[in-house]
């Protein structure tokens, strides 16, 4: 028991949530590798990828918004209302999940051609069971985060990622039909949903409050809209390639392989930004201090790794992929510059202060700037112009968020950012970029 207590005390909420996200993303990578190695055709793997993509399209924006809204609202409520929020979020996610299931089952002839350009998908019905249950179960890790169950969060992440990997891969390598993988996923989703239900029975307060729901909605809907526009921003680069290169499939492939950020950057930075929302919402000064301290640890890990990958990309990139993608290396190096912008957390401060209404407009401004810069830079720089437009636009969005926090709350970025280290690493990263340009 003492050993578990020692591990629990050595973890911070941010570190535990980062470990959870790493295990989750690592599990998805292992599944992708397992599917590629399994005795499946490319078309069968494509069916699995289309189903997961369909689930992502229907959920990513509103799930992101409501999860961050939950993290912001919970610390500001008294304990009885915190327990009500557990119950109400469980009911809302389960209800929306069932609504999505009915929509997919009743309107598949319309939705599938619209979203994935297919008239039908095998295993859709089984996958919907997994989608609905796993969607609601994603509340569990946030509940553990909010209640400071750090070791439990890490162990749950190991169970969740491990169970999903085994569900997909084990039936295939035992010689069973691919359908058994989907049935196994459905079982995993149901077990996770039951786990969450047991938690809500124990720790939730089964009473409904329109005021709590309305407050959660007001915080969350702008964040959902922001996630939706940010998703559009990510699709703008491929659109610009298609527009300027007239459907050239070779150019599109070179761009897609080059348009990669530092591996695990989004998982680690996103987990840190989300994990510190409750701390900042609960106590601003201490929360900002925690954000600054956790940020510098992330800087010392991610910036040197980014610089190393940038300087050596000409050597390892063709080995990992193939010599055919040598021309993707300059694009990859340009996208690595996004590391600096990703490691600024002004939006985390705004979410924690429940000031979310204007956040979508920053994403819209970024979209417009990326579109404008794309039309200016691509004729001059080719594919690298698309990459630079994305880097400049996202960096401008982060700068605008920092400026807004400064003007409205008199909070300098130096208060929540280890700015000396950020400037040092950013200058070195830029220097390395121009060195190999």
């Amino acid at each position: 028991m003492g050993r578990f207590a020692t591990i629990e005390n050595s973890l911070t909420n941010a570190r535990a949530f980062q470990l959870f996200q790493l295990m989750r993303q690592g599990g998805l990578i292992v599944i992708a590798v397992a599917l590629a190695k399994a005795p499946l055709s490319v078309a069968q793997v494509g069916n699995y990828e289309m189903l997961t993509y369909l689930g992502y399209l229907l959920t990513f924006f509103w799930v992101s918004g409501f999860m961050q809204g939950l993290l912001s609202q919970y610390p500001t409520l008294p304990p009885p209302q915190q327990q009500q929020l557990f119950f109400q979020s469980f009911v809302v996610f389960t209800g929306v999940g069932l609504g999505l299931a009915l929509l997919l089952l009743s309107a598949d002839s319309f939705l599938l051609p619209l979203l994935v350009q297919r008239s039908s998908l095998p295993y859709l019905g089984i996958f919907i069971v997994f989608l609905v249950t796993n969607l609601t179960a994603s509340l569990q890790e946030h509940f553990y985060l909010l209640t400071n169950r750090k070791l439990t969060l890490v162990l749950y992440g190991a169970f969740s990622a491990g169970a999903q990997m085994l569900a997909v891969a084990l039936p295939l390598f035992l010689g069973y039909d691919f359908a058994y993988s989907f049935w196994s996923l459905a079982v995993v989703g149901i077990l996770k949903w039951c786990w969450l239900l047991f938690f809500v029975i124990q720790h939730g307060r089964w009473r409904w409050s329109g005021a709590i729901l309305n407050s959660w909605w007001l915080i969350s809907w702008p964040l959902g809209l922001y996630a939706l526009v940010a998703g559009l921003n990510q699709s703008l680069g491929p659109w610009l390639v298609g527009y300027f290169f007239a459907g050239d499939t070779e150019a599109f492939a070179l761009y897609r392989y080059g348009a990669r950020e530092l591996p695990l950057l989004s998982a680690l930075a996103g987990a840190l930004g989300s994990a510190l929302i409750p701390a900042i919402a609960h106590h601003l000064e201490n929360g900002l201090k925690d954000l600054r301290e956790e940020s510098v640890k992330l800087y010392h890990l991610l910036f040197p790794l980014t610089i190393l990958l940038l300087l050596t990309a000409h050597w390892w990139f063709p080995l990992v992929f193939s010599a055919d993608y040598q021309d993707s290396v300059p694009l990859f190096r340009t996208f690595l510059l996004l590391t600096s912008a990703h490691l600024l957390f002004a939006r985390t401060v705004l979410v924690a202060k429940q000031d979310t209404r204007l956040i979508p407009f920053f994403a819209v401004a970024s979209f417009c700037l990326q579109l404008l810069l794309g039309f200016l830079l691509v004729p001059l720089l080719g594919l690298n112009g698309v990459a630079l437009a994305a880097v400049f636009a996202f960096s401008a969005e982060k700068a605008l968020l920092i400026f807004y926090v400064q003007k409205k709350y008199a909070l300098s970025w130096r208060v929540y950012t280890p700015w000396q280290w950020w400037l040092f690493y950013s200058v070195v990263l830029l220097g390395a970029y121009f060195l190999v340009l």
Side-chain angles (χ1 to χ4, degrees), residues 126-138 156 159-160 163-164 167 181-197:
I126 314 170
F127 180 78
I128 288 173
V129 176
F130 170 72
L131 177 65
V132 171
T133 52
N134 195 61
L135 172 68
T136 305
S138 63
Y156 176 75
F159 159 77
S160 179
Q164 194 163 332
S181 293
F182 288 94
W183 282 111
S184 299
L185 277 177
V187 171
V188 170
I190 292 169
L191 289 175
K192 290 171 65 178
W193 186 89
C194 291
W195 189 325
L196 176 64
L197 175 62

Side-chain angles (χ1 to χ4, degrees), residues 326-397:
Q326 182 70 47
D327 290 340
S328 296
V329 171
L331 300 175
F332 176 72
R333 285 173 168 155
T334 300
F335 274 101
L336 285 178
L337 298 178
L338 286 169
T339 298
S340 292
H342 272 295
L343 295 175
L344 295 169
F345 297 101
R347 188 167 68 87
T348 297
V349 178
L350 289 177
V351 175
K353 295 186 75 64
Q354 300 185 5
D355 184 3
T356 59
R357 285 185 304 166
L358 294 181
I359 286 179
F361 292 100
F362 293 103
V364 171
S366 176
F367 180 88
C368 295
L369 181 59
Q370 185 178 348
L371 185 63
L372 174 63
L373 289 174
F375 274 88
L376 292 174
L377 295 176
V378 176
L380 298 174
L381 302 172
L383 286 175
N384 207 36
V386 181
L388 284 170
V391 171
F392 287 142
F394 187 63
S395 301
E397 178 189 325

Side-chain angles (χ1 to χ4, degrees), residues 209-401:
S209 168
I212 292 176
L213 182 64
N214 185 60
S215 177
W216 185 26
W217 164 256
L218 290 176
I219 299 167
S220 301
W221 76 259
L223 298 172
L225 183 57
Y226 172 86
L228 182 62
V229 178
L232 292 175
N233 285 356
Q234 293 178 6
S235 67
L236 185 55
W239 181 85
L240 286 168
V241 174
Y243 180 86
F244 279 99
F245 292 87
D248 184 339
T249 55
E250 182 177 340
F252 192 81
L254 289 173
Y255 175 81
R256 291 291 289 176
Y257 272 81
R260 301 170 188 272
E261 300 173 16
L262 177 69
L264 306 180
L265 169 64
S266 296
L268 290 172
L272 176 61
S274 295
L276 269 296
I277 289 172
I280 298 169
H282 178 68
H283 192 289
L284 180 64
E285 185 176 345
N286 290 344
L288 294 180
K289 179 175 176 289
D290 290 343
L291 178 59
R292 199 167 56 247
E293 291 175 353
E294 292 294 336
S295 294
V296 77
K297 295 174 185 175
L298 207 55
Y299 290 4
H300 293 327
L301 170 66
L302 295 182
F303 271 116
L305 183 57
T306 301
I307 293 164
L308 178 64
L309 289 176
L310 188 149
L311 290 173
T312 59
H314 63 282
W315 173 74
W316 62 262
F317 200 93
L319 293 177
V320 172
F321 299 105
S322 82
D324 294 334
Y325 296 98
Q326 182 70 47
D327 290 340
S328 296
V329 171
L331 300 175
F332 176 72
R333 285 173 168 155
T334 300
F335 274 101
L336 285 178
L337 298 178
L338 286 169
T339 298
S340 292
H342 272 295
L343 295 175
L344 295 169
F345 297 101
R347 188 167 68 87
T348 297
V349 178
L350 289 177
V351 175
K353 295 186 75 64
Q354 300 185 5
D355 184 3
T356 59
R357 285 185 304 166
L358 294 181
I359 286 179
F361 292 100
F362 293 103
V364 171
S366 176
F367 180 88
C368 295
L369 181 59
Q370 185 178 348
L371 185 63
L372 174 63
L373 289 174
F375 274 88
L376 292 174
L377 295 176
V378 176
L380 298 174
L381 302 172
L383 286 175
N384 207 36
V386 181
L388 284 170
V391 171
F392 287 142
F394 187 63
S395 301
E397 178 189 325
K398 289 301 187 95
L400 288 172
L401 285 165

Side-chain angles (χ1 to χ4, degrees), residues 36-108:
K37 301 290 186 182
L40 295 172
S41 68
V42 174
Q44 286 177 300
V45 176
N47 287 330
Y48 174 85
E49 295 293 342
M50 279 193 173
L51 286 168
T52 55
Y53 177 65
L54 180 65
Y56 170 79
L57 284 179
L58 293 172
T59 59
F60 80 94
F61 55 97
W62 67 267
V63 169
S64 172
F66 276 91
M67 288 300 188
Q68 291 194 46
L70 177 74
L71 295 177
S72 176
Q73 186 185 17
Y74 179 89
T76 66
L77 298 174
Q81 292 186 2
Q82 289 178 339
Q83 294 172 337
Q84 282 181 260
L85 186 58
F86 281 159
F87 164 67
Q88 290 189 198
S89 56
F90 172 77
V91 172
V92 168
F93 270 65
T94 299
V96 175
L98 291 173
L100 281 176
L102 290 173
L103 180 66
L104 278 171
L105 290 172
S106 61
D108 59 327

